[in-house]
Amino acid sequence: MKSNSRSSDSRRALAGAIASLSVLFVCASPARAQGQVKIPRPLPHMIDEKSADPAPTASATAGPERFISSATGHALVKPTKTLTVGGPEMPHIDFSKVVIDQPTKGDIWVRGRTYKASFDASGATYIPFLGSNAPHNFPVRVELESMRIGGSDVELSTRGIARVDNEITIDRGVLREVWDMSPEQAEQSFVLATRPTMAGPLELRIALTSELETSTTAEGIELAGEYGGVSISHTIVIDAAGMRTAIESRIEGGTMVLDVPADVLARAQYPLVVDPVYSTNALDTTTTATALPDISNAGTAGNWAAVYQFSFSATDADVWTLDVYYGIPVANSGVWVDYTSYTWVAPRIAYNALNNTYLTVCSVRPTPNAPGEIWCRSRTAGTTTQFNQVLIQSSILGSCFYPDVGGDPVLTGPTYFMVVWTRNFSANDWDVHGRLIGYDGTPQGTSPIFIASTTTFDWYPRISKTDGRAPYSTQEWNVVWMRGNGVSDVWGAQIHWDGNITTPAFPIDQTTYADTFPSASTLLDGAAGPRPWMVTYRRQYTNEGDVYAKALIGSSIQTELNVSVAENADPYEDQLDPDVDSNGQRFVVAYSESYNNSASDRDLYTTTLHFEGNAIGVDEAHQQVDYSTLDTTGAQISCGMTEGGVGFAYYGLAWPRYGGGVEDTYVGAYYEPVSYNTFCYGDGSAGACPCGTSGLRGCPNSATTGAGLFLQGNNYTSADTFSIFAFNLPPGSIGLFFQGTNASTIGSTFGDGLLCVNGSIARLGVKTAPLGNATYPEVGDLPISVKGNIPADGGYRYYQMWYRDAVSYCTPSTFNITSAARVLWLR
């Protein structure tokens, strides 16, 4: 099993303190299916019963080691690195204002810059922030024990707790305990509304329960420890006329005693306020560790949401979420998912388009040694409005951890989230469970979904960011996980949009390699039947690891690719932590790569892939995103999947950065490469034009310096709006647009031009160019994908226009040809 190092942990969840990279992102979706009716099937109540270990169904041979040519060597000297990245660091959490939340129906929680605090009808708990490196929290429980006037006890009652803005009031009958919260301190006030009927001094006894050492100082009372503590100022008594009297506080055992002299009570105008102030006294005021980010698509192109973990102490992690626009954090969009004293770790996030909500899921431990539970919280996108925190799965069936969540991009209901996690059944038997979740975080059905519940070691499940676009009948969440403790295999399953298992657990990889930390993409678009998707994982060789990818249709493996080899990455560097997603047409993989084989300096890269003809093709390889002297691992990627927009070319990224005492998270965006281009120019790059002429586009004609092609629209077989525009033709000429299955980079002489397109030729259409321009298709023409008989899964095709040029210009021929176009048709 992987070590529990910070680098290893980072690949298992996500983060986001966030600096913005201008390496942009987004994805897309095919036209929404019309007239479909979605009827969810009932979710079965499942019994937690173990099934037998599955027998191996694939070869368990190791296969050859990765081949390294003797002519290829490790680049011993690489460019010197600096600490900078491609954009400014993301702004930190805004602590300029206090935040108050009631995440469940229980206590009220407050988060300031230097502390957090909770309130109930009995009192308050003040928890100072002593730096993320503090070994645990050092809470101070504050409860009013008694009230005496003239030596006689005054009966106190509990009448409830209320909040107005930043003021929290505990009503105790004759006395109100009021807390006024600000970012830097908490001001506690005891309010006597009317003059007491009894004479004599007032004594308030407040129990202070903490492991911090309590002492009296010149400034008041201090609770101190190795990492700092809490200061309680000398108390001020203020009457209604503004008369202020300072009184000293004293400590008796663990109790703070406040004595208000009788003469102060006698001459005061009421109400009278007794007013101590609590503040944090930390030795480390700078260490704030953020880590484990994740990012999710949204319903509007260019929008995402990120979530990450904030270490309040070593045993208390909080979770922050915010909106992202084209890789830039949106100002004032952030909100705490949780800042209670429970530990929320490994946050993951997904989006439900129909209800416009994000769902964050976490593994939660009420105390550091408690078994893990799975909790969630839903937020309305574009706002800081959140629903209550919801328990998805308690630890009654075993400790739960490594959660992940997938959303739904379609706008026809009902739609849901799907959450998956690891359940610890025993030391050597872990399982993969799941649960269908409503838009507001409400669990659906009566039991967990037992995705992998054998006596084997199944763990670290990952689910696709979405279940894909319409048709709804083939909407599936793809789930992958590791099987085995040591040399692991990769397994998968598919879950329908209504939470029923479509494809039970099946093997994706069963070799003697250590294949670890898989990820699953969203489905490619498709009209009918099971749709393609991709799984990526790290394959460990003797001295380094590579990024490996497999393309599947349903549960059937179609092909596989060593991405690191295909993109010609340095074979001596280590590639790890791949994460993949799809915009419905192509795949983008984000991963880390070592720098000079360092285990503490790794950088972030992306690679764009496509799948057609049962092969995985590399469209853009080894694109550098984050290049610094710090360590970047565990990046997450998400397409910009919407139901109506197909092929959105941006992908959102979130990643952590570690080292040198720095622990931060970043967001950015990646723009996938265009899938078409022009070539076969008359400038000599494709060979010499006839007659020794030279053209800017195609070879020169009798009227211009050469005719070219301009391409625009969506080159998707599922939503074809693609067109080819020929320009700089001789005015009044006529020509034929045609398509070929192959092309040559060096053209052959053809009339007055160069022919580069060949293979199987398809005629698209004859067009005239009265003004020297022509387009295919025009109104009434078949789309190019239909006319050219492009397969549903796409592929490469090549285009030119053969046009008449009767004016004697170069050769005796009376025709010429434009430059050529190369188009990768996508689904």
Side-chain angles (χ1 to χ4, degrees):
M1 189 161 53
K2 277 280 198 203
S3 70
N4 280 328
S5 69
R6 184 173 56 200
S7 296
S8 297
D9 286 342
S10 70
R11 73 194 59 179
R12 299 172 189 171
L14 309 158
I18 300 169
S20 48
L21 258 195
S22 297
V23 193
L24 303 172
F25 149 69
V26 181
C27 315
S29 47
R32 182 174 157 195
Q34 300 296 318
Q36 294 194 49
V37 177
K38 297 180 70 178
I39 301 176
R41 295 165 293 176
L43 290 170
H45 180 81
M46 304 183 77
I47 306 300
D48 190 14
E49 294 179 341
K50 289 287 183 177
S51 58
D53 290 353
T57 58
S59 172
T61 59
E65 279 287 293
R66 177 178 175 185
F67 174 74
I68 300 175
S69 169
S70 59
T72 303
H74 182 218
L76 296 178
V77 180
K78 289 190 173 184
T80 302
K81 299 174 72 172
T82 65
L83 192 57
T84 60
V85 294
E89 185 177 357
M90 170 187 167
H92 286 244
I93 297 170
D94 180 11
F95 286 115
S96 64
K97 55 188 177 183
V98 71
V99 179
I100 301 182
D101 189 18
Q102 194 164 4
T104 64
K105 293 182 179 180
D107 301 349
I108 296 172
W109 281 86
V110 178
R111 183 67 159 90
R113 187 183 71 83
T114 60
Y115 70 93
K116 58 183 169 182
S118 66
F119 297 87
D120 55 43
S122 298
T125 301
Y126 182 97
I127 309 172
F129 177 58
L130 304 180
S132 294
N133 292 331
H136 56 83
N137 288 353
F138 293 87
V140 178
R141 179 64 180 174
V142 182
E143 290 189 13
L144 178 61
E145 280 186 342
S146 65
M147 172 181 174
R148 289 184 175 184
I149 297 178
S152 299
D153 289 331
V154 177
E155 184 178 356
L156 300 174
S157 59
T158 300
R159 297 186 179 181
I161 184 171
R163 173 207 160 197
V164 177
D165 296 329
N166 291 348
E167 191 174 271
I168 298 165
T169 300
I170 304 173
D171 190 345
R172 302 186 180 279
V174 298
L175 186 75
R176 288 186 301 122
E177 180 180 349
V178 181
W179 290 80
D180 188 11
M181 315 304 292
S182 68
E184 304 296 332
Q185 62 187 26
E187 183 176 358
Q188 181 188 32
S189 301
F190 297 99
V191 182
L192 275 170
T194 59
R195 189 183 305 277
T197 57
M198 296 177 287
L202 167 66
E203 178 190 84
L204 298 174
R205 302 181 68 87
I206 300 114
L208 303 176
T209 306
S210 176
E211 68 176 275
L212 297 171
E213 293 288 334
T214 306
S215 62
T216 302
T217 69
E219 289 76 30
I221 292 174
E222 184 171 323
L223 296 93
E226 180 182 355
Y227 296 86
V230 178
S231 296
I232 307 175
S233 70
H234 281 310
T235 301
I236 303 296
V237 180
I238 310 169
D239 76 353
M243 182 69 68
R244 301 169 65 89
T245 305
I247 63 172
E248 290 196 4
S249 311
R250 56 190 170 90
I251 290 292
E252 292 184 2
T255 299
M256 176 174 66
V257 182
L258 306 179
D259 292 310
V260 182
D263 62 324
V264 173
L265 294 179
R267 69 171 181 262
Q269 296 185 34
Y270 286 77
L272 183 76
V273 177
V274 183
D275 194 18
V277 176
Y278 296 69
S279 59
T280 296
N281 179 24
L283 300 181
D284 179 0
T285 60
T286 60
T287 303
T288 55
T290 59
L292 305 179
D294 194 18
I295 193 163
S296 171
N297 62 292
T300 305
N303 289 268
W304 292 267
V307 65
Y308 60 93
Q309 178 179 308
F310 180 100
S311 295
F312 192 86
S313 70
T315 60
D316 182 5
D318 300 328
V319 175
W320 177 262
T321 183
L322 76 165
D323 295 331
V324 177
Y325 183 68
Y326 285 105
I328 307 297
V330 176
N332 302 316
S333 68
V335 64
W336 290 103
V337 176
D338 176 82
Y339 56 85
T340 67
S341 57
Y342 282 20
T343 297
W344 284 53
V345 297
R348 308 286 291 195
I349 190 169
Y351 177 71
N352 183 288
L354 176 64
N355 299 285
N356 196 35
T357 55
Y358 294 110
L359 189 74
T360 295
V361 299
C362 289
S363 177
V364 177
R365 295 179 187 270
T367 62
N369 296 320
E373 302 173 340
I374 305 299
W375 284 71
C376 70
R377 194 170 195 183
S378 181
R379 172 171 73 96
T380 300
T383 75
T384 57
T385 301
Q386 299 187 97
F387 294 84
N388 283 343
Q389 296 174 354
V390 178
L391 173 65
I392 295 176
Q393 180 59 51
S394 72
S395 59
I396 191 171
L397 301 177
S399 185
C400 301
F401 37 86
Y402 298 142
D404 199 10
V405 59
D408 194 322
V410 307
L411 299 174
T412 298
T415 59
Y416 307 95
F417 294 99
M418 175 55 65
V419 177
V420 295
W421 64 87
T422 299
R423 185 272 298 265
N424 182 344
F425 184 78
S426 67
N428 297 307
D429 181 0
W430 291 7
D431 301 310
V432 174
H433 291 179
R435 193 76 184 263
L436 194 69
I437 305 295
Y439 75 94
D440 59 353
T442 303
Q444 308 295 299
T446 58
S447 70
I449 302 167
F450 300 118
I451 301 169
S453 193
T454 69
T455 55
T456 56
F457 198 84
D458 294 299
W459 63 296
Y460 194 74
R462 283 296 171 257
I463 190 169
S464 54
K465 279 296 180 187
T466 82
D467 52 359
R469 286 186 281 260
Y472 312 129
S473 59
T474 57
Q475 271 190 287
E476 313 289 349
W477 282 293
N478 302 310
V479 184
V480 294
W481 64 89
M482 289 186 284
R483 172 164 288 178
N485 188 356
V487 177
S488 63
D489 297 325
V490 177
W491 281 64
Q494 288 187 305
I495 302 176
H496 202 51
W497 66 264
D498 62 3
N500 285 273
I501 295 177
T502 300
T503 308
F506 67 93
I508 295 175
D509 175 87
Q510 288 182 297
T511 69
T512 56
Y513 288 115
D515 294 320
T516 55
F517 299 105
S519 67
S521 78
T522 294
L523 297 163
L524 293 183
D525 293 339
R531 295 191 249 166
W533 57 288
M534 181 171 284
V535 56
T536 61
Y537 49 89
R538 180 180 187 268
R539 170 159 288 182
Q540 178 66 50
Y541 292 95
T542 301
N543 297 312
E544 50 81 38
D546 287 354
V547 172
Y548 220 79
K550 289 190 176 184
L552 300 89
I553 296 179
S555 61
S556 175
I557 298 170
Q558 304 298 300
T559 188
E560 58 189 75
L561 180 73
N562 186 317
V563 177
S564 302
V565 170
E567 66 179 9
N568 199 30
D570 188 331
Y572 290 92
E573 298 292 3
D574 190 24
Q575 288 85 33
L576 68 160
D577 292 354
D579 192 55
V580 63
D581 201 11
S582 166
N583 62 0
Q585 279 67 48
R586 288 197 277 189
F587 306 98
V588 176
V589 184
Y591 61 93
S592 297
E593 180 180 280
S594 61
Y595 175 81
N596 279 337
N597 211 27
S598 170
S600 59
D601 180 1
R602 288 164 290 202
D603 303 312
L604 176 58
Y605 294 85
T606 60
T607 293
T608 300
L609 307 171
H610 72 270
F611 171 69
E612 59 91 12
N614 285 335
I616 299 172
V618 179
D619 297 339
E620 185 172 64
H622 209 242
Q623 297 298 296
Q624 192 175 86
V625 177
D626 186 318
Y627 186 75
S628 74
T629 57
L630 299 179
D631 195 28
T632 296
T633 59
Q636 301 297 309
I637 191 167
S638 174
C639 74
M641 176 69 72
T642 61
E643 185 174 17
V646 181
F648 192 47
Y650 288 88
Y651 289 74
L653 292 162
W655 66 96
R657 196 194 277 174
Y658 302 108
V662 176
E663 297 186 15
D664 284 327
T665 51
Y666 295 79
V667 292
Y670 166 74
Y671 186 82
E672 69 179 17
V674 296
S675 51
Y676 48 79
N677 64 284
T678 57
F679 65 103
C680 197
Y681 301 128
D683 59 1
S685 60
C689 288
C691 309
T693 58
S694 180
L696 294 178
R697 297 165 184 87
C699 291
N701 56 45
S702 62
T704 71
T705 57
L709 297 180
F710 177 77
L711 312 172
Q712 61 183 354
N714 293 335
N715 51 316
Y716 309 137
T717 60
S718 62
D720 180 5
T721 63
F722 200 61
S723 65
I724 304 174
F725 176 76
F727 60 97
N728 280 1
L729 302 166
S733 62
I734 186 171
L736 170 68
F737 287 97
F738 65 96
Q739 167 189 288
T741 54
N742 291 307
S744 302
T745 55
I746 301 299
S748 57
T749 300
F750 188 65
D752 290 344
L754 295 173
L755 176 66
C756 290
V757 174
N758 49 59
S760 298
I761 301 297
R763 296 164 56 98
L764 297 181
V766 175
K767 297 294 177 181
T768 59
L771 300 178
N773 304 318
T775 301
Y776 187 90
E778 295 179 308
V779 176
D781 292 330
L782 290 174
I784 295 175
S785 60
V786 176
K787 187 71 172 180
N789 198 27
I790 309 296
D793 62 349
Y796 283 104
R797 294 297 185 270
Y798 306 87
Y799 300 89
Q800 280 186 286
M801 185 186 191
W802 174 21
Y803 62 91
R804 181 172 175 77
D805 188 10
V807 177
S808 178
Y809 167 68
C810 176
T811 70
S813 301
T814 58
F815 61 89
N816 203 327
I817 196 164
T818 65
S819 60
R822 173 181 180 265
V823 179
L824 172 59
W825 284 92
L826 301 168
R827 296 174 70 90

